[in-house]
Amino acid sequence: MKSLRIGLRWFAGVALGTLLVSAPCAHSATDGKVWILNSNNWQEGKDLLPEVVLRRVKSGDYWFKVVPVDPDTFKQNYSKRFWDASEANAGKYDIDVATCGLKDVTTRKMPDFYFGYPFPKIDPKDSNAACKMAWNFTAANQMGNGQGATFTLNGIDSSGEFKRIKLWLQGNAFLGRSAGPIPNPENLRGVSMSNVLEPQDVDGVGGLTKQLNDWTSQDQAWFYVPTTRRVRRVNAATRSDPVAGLDIFGDDVNCYSGKVEYYKWKLLGEGNILAPVLSPTPLAQKQVSPTRWEVEIPYYKGAYETPGAKGAPWLIVENLNMIPRPVWILEGESEDPYYNFGKVIMYMDKDMYRIYWKLVHNRAGEYFYNAMCSYHWSKSADGTFSAVTPDMVVGVNDKTNRAAIGGRYTSQFIETDYPPDFFTLHHLSHMSD
């Protein structure tokens, strides 16, 4: 029960085209058309997937629909306002070398607010290049202001689903917001709130996270258990614990959900990768109030819930598109002795600064786990506001041959003006009243 509470708290708290069921004939990877990567042509994925993932393509566990996309068109999934703000940030920020923290070049301190990439141009030979890339990744996470959704966690092994948990997650950013700065008396980067809905024995378990806007502090995190009516503080390192005994971790949200300063970042190189996305084009945002927009999202259907589907039970066989993208290959490693991961290898988009895949090693340096992180983009009707949102994580433990799928919600909302008492301990302890 304890691991369930803490794991759910961190998975949910630190945050928040159609595939054919049977693979059709393969096309050439060079003809510019949609094609299928499978066991018949697995060699064509040699430079497009991590080796541990390509092995499963070769064995027939995986097959992917590949959708070539014009790079310039794809970049427009972010608004012109975002790109203009990014260009205007050139020269405004630097890195605090000791912590990897973001530093305003004028005040020499962590900025109270920014919008757009802090580093619109990064020289890969720069000794701080990896830290700067991590900050661009963070800025893209924050552009969507506040967001919320209800989703499931599904544990899957070779026989199919063995566990299912349903919960909601809502979060709010204070930095990097498209809507501009808001009052921030606690000096936070972001907050999030979660609540478990199913199964019944953990219904009402909730979590609250507050991320302080400084270079050295750990996140503040609490969870609430209705049966005891108590709020309990938890350690930030628990985001590297398995969620409820599943093969998925709190740090899998966005493929990394901690502060930039938690990792020692290193640039290993560059390459290309198949990026998992719901759609290469943005979804529509429907305004439902002066401060809220809703986005309808097609469901990612797994092989385990699709009769006759080919592939591993956790393979996504509907609505997943793989887009060839140029990436930076980064290594992150925590110095926190309570953090369970050793080095983590991440494949980060050079333009969009999304992490699409990560390979996780234990503290002894042995690889054991990979995560595929999928996203969608959405835009307002006039194109002035855009957001990128994580919508699914598929975590695979190659040691146990089990997996877990998190996310896969069918709608989300974007909120620009949360009530001031929403992300509070009082609200956390009274959600089940």
Side-chain angles (χ1 to χ4, degrees):
M1 172 69 88
K2 180 179 178 181
S3 64
L4 171 61
R5 296 166 185 161
I6 296 177
L8 279 172
R9 158 71 215 94
W10 271 100
F11 182 85
V14 188
L16 291 101
T18 300
L19 274 172
L20 300 178
V21 171
S22 57
C25 297
H27 294 272
S28 168
T30 60
D31 63 9
K33 299 178 181 179
V34 175
W35 58 284
I36 301 297
L37 176 66
N38 59 25
S39 59
N40 296 323
N41 63 345
W42 67 269
Q43 298 92 338
E44 296 188 28
K46 184 175 182 181
D47 297 321
L48 292 173
L49 287 170
E51 182 181 352
V52 295
V53 179
L54 185 62
R55 281 194 219 123
R56 288 191 178 268
V57 176
K58 182 179 180 180
S59 70
D61 281 348
Y62 294 172
W63 54 271
F64 297 120
K65 176 183 169 186
V66 183
V67 182
V69 175
D70 176 72
D72 291 333
T73 301
F74 190 60
K75 284 183 65 175
Q76 301 318 306
N77 284 351
Y78 291 161
S79 69
K80 186 177 184 299
R81 285 183 59 239
F82 181 86
W83 291 117
D84 289 347
S86 298
E87 291 300 317
N89 284 338
K92 289 184 179 180
Y93 303 105
D94 202 353
I95 293 295
D96 177 71
V97 177
T99 63
C100 203
L102 182 65
K103 180 169 59 178
D104 186 301
V105 298
T106 301
T107 65
R108 315 301 292 172
K109 297 178 180 179
M110 178 72 205
D112 295 328
F113 186 79
Y114 57 79
F115 175 59
Y117 291 144
F119 303 103
K121 294 181 175 61
I122 300 176
D123 181 353
K125 296 179 182 178
D126 183 345
S127 60
N128 293 317
C131 290
K132 293 178 178 180
M133 293 168 186
W135 274 106
N136 283 358
F137 162 78
T138 300
N141 292 344
Q142 297 168 325
M143 76 165 77
N145 305 300
Q147 299 184 26
T150 298
F151 61 96
T152 60
L153 304 174
N154 307 88
I156 305 163
D157 60 19
S158 58
S159 300
E161 181 182 271
F162 63 86
K163 183 181 288 188
R164 179 182 183 274
I165 299 166
K166 184 178 181 180
L167 63 155
W168 60 254
L169 165 67
Q170 298 188 39
N172 197 31
F174 288 92
L175 278 65
R177 299 167 51 89
S178 295
I182 56 176
N184 188 10
E186 296 181 79
N187 190 32
L188 302 175
R189 292 181 188 172
V191 292
S192 63
M193 180 84 77
S194 63
N195 189 253
V196 180
L197 304 173
E198 299 173 8
Q200 187 174 5
D201 60 341
V202 290
D203 181 13
V205 173
L208 171 67
T209 299
K210 296 185 177 184
Q211 190 172 88
L212 299 178
N213 187 33
D214 60 33
W215 296 337
T216 56
S217 69
Q218 294 290 314
D219 290 350
Q220 298 176 345
W222 302 264
F223 71 83
Y224 173 75
V225 181
T227 54
T228 64
R229 301 193 66 82
R230 289 183 179 274
V231 173
R232 180 177 178 181
R233 183 80 176 262
V234 296
N235 190 303
T238 57
R239 71 185 192 281
S240 64
D241 290 347
V243 178
L246 301 176
D247 297 280
I248 202 164
F249 301 85
D251 245 356
D252 289 342
V253 179
N254 278 306
C255 262
Y256 179 66
S257 63
K259 292 173 73 169
V260 172
E261 296 91 339
Y262 289 167
Y263 270 3
K264 294 296 182 182
W265 297 86
K266 182 190 301 183
L267 178 60
L268 301 181
E270 53 190 293
N272 295 285
I273 208 74
L274 291 182
V277 300
L278 178 66
S279 172
T281 57
L283 303 177
Q285 298 171 358
K286 178 183 179 182
Q287 190 163 8
V288 294
S289 82
T291 65
R292 182 165 293 201
W293 290 258
E294 292 185 353
V295 183
E296 294 185 3
I297 302 165
Y299 180 70
Y300 288 112
K301 200 170 184 180
Y304 76 95
E305 53 195 350
T306 307
K310 296 181 179 179
W314 53 83
L315 178 69
I316 302 302
V317 297
E318 285 189 18
N319 293 319
L320 180 65
N321 293 285
M322 307 297 278
I323 300 174
R325 292 295 299 164
V327 290
W328 302 113
I329 304 172
L330 303 178
E331 177 184 299
E333 189 163 7
S334 173
E335 295 182 334
D336 186 340
Y338 297 101
Y339 189 78
N340 292 324
F341 298 165
K343 68 178 180 180
V344 180
I345 310 300
M346 292 162 279
Y347 297 81
M348 182 185 292
D349 195 302
K350 285 186 175 182
D351 294 321
M352 315 303 279
Y353 286 94
R354 297 294 79 215
I355 303 173
Y356 298 119
W357 298 88
K358 72 175 183 181
L359 310 177
V360 181
H361 301 71
N362 60 26
R363 300 286 291 197
E366 181 184 23
Y367 163 78
F368 73 98
Y369 175 83
N370 72 80
M372 179 186 78
C373 300
S374 177
Y375 304 88
H376 69 267
W377 286 261
S378 63
K379 264 191 176 181
S380 60
D382 62 5
T384 59
F385 168 68
S386 67
V388 58
T389 308
D391 50 33
M392 179 178 64
V393 175
V394 181
V396 180
N397 189 324
D398 280 322
K399 294 295 183 182
T400 62
N401 197 37
R402 297 197 327 174
I405 306 177
R408 299 196 293 170
Y409 43 82
T410 57
S411 68
Q412 71 166 122
F413 65 81
I414 296 169
E415 176 62 62
T416 60
D417 189 18
Y418 273 102
D421 61 347
F422 187 84
F423 297 99
T424 62
L425 290 174
H426 180 269
H427 185 205
L428 175 66
S429 61
H430 287 81
M431 285 191 298
S432 300
D433 290 353

